[in-house]
Amino acid sequence: MSDKPQQSSTVTLTLDGNEISVPRGSTLIEAAEQAGVRVPHYCYHPGLSSPAMCRLCLVEVEGAPKLQPSCVTMAQDGQTVHTNSQEARKQRQGVLEFYLVNHPLDCPICDQSGECKLQDYVFAEGRKHGRSQEPKRVFGRDDFGGDVLFYGDRCVMCTRCVRFMDEVAGDPRLTVVERGDRAIIDTFFEEGLSGSPFAGNIVDICPVGALVSKDFLHKARAWDLDHTPSVCTSCSQGCNIQIHTRDNEVQRLKPRENLEVNGFWMCDEGRHNYEWMNSPHRLEVPRVSEVAGESPVAMGWGRALDALLPALREGGPVMAVASPFASNEDLGALAHLVERLGGGDLVFRSPEAETEVVLPGFPQLVRRRDLSPNRTGAELLGFRRVGDAQGQGGLEAAAAHDGILLILGDELRDQEADFGTKARFLVRLGSTASGVEAAHAHLPITTHAEQDGSFANHEGRVQRFWPALKGPGAARPAWMILGTLAARLDPEAMEEGPGSAAEAFHRLVAAHGPFAGMSFDALGTRGVPVSQPAALQGA
């Protein structure tokens, strides 16, 4: 055995008068972040390389001959670091003054206003008045293709966008041209960023308003937006996102950091797939046929559920067709209701893409073939996939079913107009006004953007989402409706429907082995893998 002492996995240093320990290999800016100290910076980003070119993150390290760039200087044992010393503040003030020499003062019309780092830094420690009397340079606006516009006047040349396209997207379509104060970001080819599946991320990481989204241009002010953590529903990757809303409408989607799932990024397909959440064509009130042969009529929830119970209690063969866009709680409640009705066939349909798209610099992030957020959850809860790769067909048994037929979320747009006419009793739970006309009951449900709940992504990580919008009219979560129906089927059992998504989740945990030991609260904002990964084999 070697007598050489093992190197500790941490280093201890003094930062702004406080002794801290951080993992060995941390940079000073990372050490400060872990200590709750924010060092101003532009070019540094935790998901990219650090070129140390913006010179804004300089800090004073005792014993060093000059200020050190904290983004590339390693934390070492015994260091004494001052992030807010007089010398460091003076340096930052000077750097900010240089940035403002050519930066236009167009904050009132800039999309980044309210979340701009130049605004924040100058307000916090910049000069009160500018000293430059020379005219500012003018570059104007450039269309980079895709969803990205470039305002060269605002660029602080942090090169985050260039490095993202090179290092993470593996699609080097941007570069720095010219030199000195004429330097500017430009595209290599005439098509620019068109067709690049992850290019929208450069808008997210631009610290100023140089790169903006065409889709969001002049749509809303940043300070008017409410931010709600959620999960992208465009494929089974389960990217963590923020839903930004105003006036009960989704304005944009942004990636939310989760290094286990999507890092700091998301694909453009998922980013722009949100208008359906704002659809005005929604089912808002329950419509139930109280008398056989009559058309469904609008009514309140109490009367509607009471009208369903006699037909459900008659029993008979049961079949349920669900959507993999429904939450685990919704699907668990549907499976429980079918069990209370004597059991039956549980099926779902899920569309698939022809290929998968990988983010080369972060290969954990993939635009998955499965184009639904909860196919894994459906399979873990006992549902069987039917239909083709387009999410169509496969419902011949459902069309011929002559018992109780329950439809959750699937709009059945590919089915014939007479679908469900053979069913003795057909109940449809949906969020849109379109659907099966033969249904004896149309029950309005909320979307994932309007309720608490969870999805299980392609690897079985169960992740929470929160309500960002208020559901229309009398729409309610499907788990609430189905759970209440199951409870009312047998009044003598003294069972009550779940009162919250957490309670609905705990009920499915108790009933389904793969979720054993899980807690709704423990899912947090990062998610938790299912307890039995083997259950995912072949999924």
Side-chain angles (χ1 to χ4, degrees), residues 147 195-201 215 232-236 239 241 253 265-277 353 355 357 365-372:
D147 185 51
S196 185
F198 295 96
N201 291 284
D215 176 69
C232 180
T233 60
S234 292
C235 78
S236 61
C239 287
I241 63 171
L253 304 182
W265 326 111
M266 71 183 297
C267 76
D268 289 0
E269 186 76 20
R271 180 188 302 275
H272 297 130
N273 183 22
Y274 66 84
E275 285 296 345
W276 63 271
M277 302 181 204
T355 59
V357 183
L365 174 53
V366 180
R367 165 75 172 168
R368 301 284 167 182
R369 287 193 64 193
D370 291 329
L371 300 181
S372 55

Side-chain angles (χ1 to χ4, degrees), residues 19 84 114 119 132 138 152 281 326 331 333 364 371 414 417 421 435 514 523-524:
E19 187 176 280
N84 206 33
Q119 274 185 336
S132 176
V138 177
H281 306 294
L331 295 171
Q364 300 95 310
L371 300 181
D414 63 313
T421 55
L523 298 179

